Each structure stands twice: as structure tokens, then as C-alpha cells.
Amino acid sequence: MNPDIDRLHPAVREARLAERLETLRSALAAVATPASLEPALVDRFRAHRRRERSLARPRLWWLPPLAMVVTVAFVSWMVRVPPALPVPEADPGSAAAPAPAGAQDAGPFLALKPLERIALEPRATVVATEFPRALLAQWGLPVSPERAGEPVRAEFLYSAQGEPLALRILN
Amino acid sequence: MPSLPMPPWNMQPELTLLARMRQGDEEAFVELYRRHKDAIFRFAMLRTGSAARAADVTQETFLHLMTRPGQYDPGRGSLAAWLCGVARNLARRECAGREDATDPGDLADDATLAQDLVEANGPVERLLADETAEQVRAAIASIAPHYRDVLILCELSELSYAEAAQVCGIDIGTVRSRLSRARAQLADRFSRMGLMHGPGRVKEAS
């Protein structure tokens, strides 16, 4: 042990120690962190947040493709199975012909206008008609060249303004 | 004079800042940084003996807070103590090579002058403008790391014994004994450096 220390009274030794430590404390109080650290850390914080957000994003990667598949499936179903068309009111004064025999067995109507447009029509009218089979090609329906000249019996759904809304082939 | 255990204080404002920071609030992070930066930098400077290394340790400490805030457990102590613990671990890593040779047992009876130890560790870097304060810092730097940590935490960083125990991962009894030995070593270093002589007449033991 240091003899100089041993010669000092413990209280004096403690007082000197405290005094020197206080000197250091005072000097340290004037020491400040370099100012360049804060902007550097803020930049790192922003980069860290960006990285966290980008890591969080792929968790829902399956959502957009799933939404697209569901939409396509729903639209396909809507096109293949159109909703029930509005039943035309029986209007004695109208030129609508009575439903021909065998109409109960006829297929569904093929929409020529958007379904929303048809659904909003207040006074739709069904009219039975006959036309050359070749006209079916205009609506994108398959027509056999051998039978192109044959007449086709069909029913048209007309709006009050006479606009064809839907078509149903009877034979 | 060793500081008494710090009284419990309301940690809610800091915990709120921490929660906001975890949600990405930049202002909360800056506020936490400004509250603790100087204490961490001074601790790191005393621990590493270099302003440049202290800046690195401070930056890494707050990066740790930024990226791993979940490691802080409010039930185990204050945020200040936890940050000191992180800084201490980083500083130990920085000084790993140099501290291998300073075993507490070897230094307990070591009569080598503090200046010799400091010079043996590399070129001396002057950190403080005040001559006496710089000598005191150099004397503290020459103490064995186990004792030095406790001395810096309790005497200069104003942490309670309990917080120093948390930082060092030891119990409070060990903190007390290490602090006592650190003060004895420091008094010895001061004496050898001529720092124990006050401005007036030194009262000697009979």
C-alpha cells in the first residue's frame, strides 16, 4: 500500500477524493455529445422505419391477386347466369304477342345491354319475332353456314322506347 | 461521496415516449436521445478514454434503442440504466483487447503509476480542458475495469447502487464492495500522481 496514503487521516483522504471527483464532474458537465450524431441518428431512424414498413408490406402480398381472382370469377358467373329479367306487365293495349307455345322450355334471355340498364327498365316488353339465323352472328353467337339462311324464332325484350334489351332463341 | 439510491420517479413520460418511438414517431426518438445522449457520451468517454470511440458507442447505443426497444424491461429499472448497460457492453467490446491485461487481482497490488498504464495502452488522448480533471480521468482510466465501471456509474453518472447493479449484472453488495476497492485504488493513484495534496496544509494521521 502507498505510505503517503496511510499517513493521511481517512477523513482527509475521503475529502480529497471527493474534491477531485467533483473537479472531474464539473469538467464533464461541459462535455457535450458531438452535434453530428443527432442528424445521423435521425437519418438512421427514418431508414429503419422505411425498412420496417417494406418488411410489413409483403405480409398481404396475396390480397391483390386474390381480389382479382374473385372479381374475375364473379363477373364470369354473372355473364353465364344472368339475373332473372323483370317480368313484363300484362298490357292489353300493347303490341306484345302472347308467349308462344313451348316458351316455358325456352332458354334464358341473352342480355344485349348491361344488366343494370335492363333492371332499371320500368316497362319492358317481350315481342316474339322471326329473323334470318345469320343475324345471330352480329351478337357473337355461333352460326352454322349450312343453316345461315334458315329463319329463327326468338323473343326480344324491348324497352319502352323500342330499344332491344335481351334476346331469347326459341328454336 | 457515493450517491444514495435514487428515489422512484414517474417513468410514465419516458415510457410514453418509448411507445411512440416504437410506433415510428421520430420526435419521440429525438426527445429520448436528447434526454440521455450526454450521460451516455460521458460514460462512454470515461469508459473508452477516447472521444471518437465514445461517439461511436453513443451512436450504437441509440441504434440499439431504435432497433431493439423491446429488450428494455421497465420492471427492471430505468431507461437511463438500461442505456448505460448497452453502452457498457459496447464499450467493453471496443476495449476488449486493451482490457485483457487489467485483471482486478493484478491491479489490486500493482504499484505502477497511472500514467505508465495509460501510456502502455496507447497514445494519450486529452479529453478535458481542465488539467486536474484530466489527471483525475486518467487515474480512473487506470483502475481495473470491474472497479472502474462501478466507480463511473455511481460517482460520475449518478446512478443508484441498484441501477449500477443492473448495469453490471451484479448484486448490490458486490457494487458496494467494488466501489470501496475502486475508491481505495483511486486514492492510491491520486497519491502517486500528487493529487492528494490539497491547496492548504494536509492533516496527517498521527
Side-chain angles (χ1 to χ4, degrees):
Chain A
M1 198 65 192
N2 189 340
D4 292 343
I5 290 286
D6 294 338
R7 281 192 297 149
L8 281 179
H9 190 280
V12 175
R13 193 179 59 186
E14 285 300 310
R16 292 276 181 272
L17 203 58
E19 191 182 318
R20 299 304 177 220
L21 287 172
E22 187 54 41
T23 305
L24 179 56
R25 261 186 230 112
S26 302
L28 283 173
V31 172
T33 313
S36 59
L37 278 190
E38 184 173 319
L41 277 167
V42 168
D43 284 347
R44 296 288 292 267
F45 185 83
R46 288 174 186 160
H48 177 66
R49 289 300 306 164
R50 276 197 299 272
R51 195 164 54 247
E52 273 194 336
R53 277 198 293 269
S54 68
L55 286 174
R57 214 170 286 143
R59 289 180 191 169
L60 299 174
W61 64 268
W62 47 268
L63 204 54
L66 180 66
M68 184 173 285
V69 167
V70 168
T71 305
V72 168
F74 184 71
V75 168
S76 302
W77 178 78
M78 288 282 286
V79 169
R80 290 169 66 93
V81 186
L85 293 171
V87 178
E89 289 178 25
D91 187 357
S94 75
Q104 305 296 333
D105 302 324
F109 274 90
L110 178 68
L112 302 177
K113 298 291 178 187
L115 295 177
E116 296 83 358
R117 162 78 181 83
I118 298 171
L120 289 173
E121 179 58 43
R123 291 177 61 84
T125 308
V126 175
V127 177
T129 185
E130 201 168 277
F131 56 88
R133 188 175 290 272
L135 276 180
L136 290 174
Q138 288 186 5
W139 297 303
L141 295 172
V143 177
S144 169
E146 294 83 12
R147 305 178 62 191
E150 291 179 14
V152 173
R153 286 199 309 120
E155 287 179 339
F156 270 100
L157 183 69
Y158 284 100
S159 69
Q161 287 75 33
E163 182 186 13
L165 301 174
L167 165 72
R168 177 160 66 178
I169 309 294
L170 299 176
N171 67 338
Chain B
M1 185 78 178
S3 57
L4 295 171
M6 291 179 75
W9 70 91
N10 186 6
M11 290 168 61
Q12 200 56 46
E14 275 205 342
L15 293 181
T16 304
L17 283 174
L18 198 61
R20 281 173 47 202
M21 185 203 82
R22 294 179 72 165
Q23 289 170 354
D25 188 336
E26 184 182 306
E27 285 182 10
F29 173 72
V30 171
E31 175 64 22
L32 284 171
Y33 171 73
R34 288 179 182 166
R35 282 185 182 206
H36 297 286
K37 64 180 173 127
D38 288 336
I40 296 301
F41 180 73
R42 289 166 194 160
F43 171 77
M45 197 175 73
L46 290 171
R47 193 60 179 70
T48 61
S50 157
R53 278 200 293 265
D56 289 345
V57 166
T58 305
Q59 179 158 350
E60 289 299 318
T61 300
F62 284 95
L63 281 174
H64 193 93
L65 170 69
M66 180 194 305
T67 54
R68 283 176 280 247
Q71 287 185 356
Y72 167 58
D73 178 4
R76 296 183 61 190
S78 67
L79 183 62
W82 181 74
L83 288 171
C84 265
V86 174
R88 176 179 179 261
N89 289 336
L90 292 167
R92 286 176 74 179
R93 207 177 301 160
E94 285 269 336
C95 306
R98 294 188 304 141
E99 290 184 355
D100 286 346
T102 52
D103 181 71
D106 296 341
L107 287 171
D109 302 318
D110 187 8
T112 312
L113 283 174
Q115 195 59 32
D116 296 340
L117 275 171
V118 172
E119 284 173 357
N121 287 334
V124 179
E125 180 180 344
R126 178 157 189 151
L127 301 176
L128 302 169
D130 185 277
E131 182 69 31
T132 307
E134 181 60 23
Q135 283 182 301
V136 174
R137 188 197 66 77
I140 289 174
S142 71
I143 295 176
H146 292 73
Y147 302 146
R148 186 173 62 205
D149 283 348
V150 174
L151 185 79
I152 294 172
L153 292 169
C154 294
E155 297 282 3
L156 300 167
S157 298
E158 297 176 355
L159 259 59
S160 67
Y161 287 176
E163 286 175 318
Q166 178 202 342
V167 170
C168 299
I170 54 180
D171 58 54
I172 293 182
T174 308
V175 169
R176 289 180 195 279
S177 64
R178 282 190 185 179
L179 185 59
S180 174
R181 296 195 71 173
R183 290 172 68 85
Q185 281 196 12
L186 192 60
D188 183 61
R189 298 287 192 275
F190 282 174
S191 176
R192 292 174 192 281
M193 296 166 80
L195 287 171
M196 286 307 264
H197 304 296
R201 180 181 170 82
V202 177
K203 183 182 177 183
E204 296 184 358
S206 58

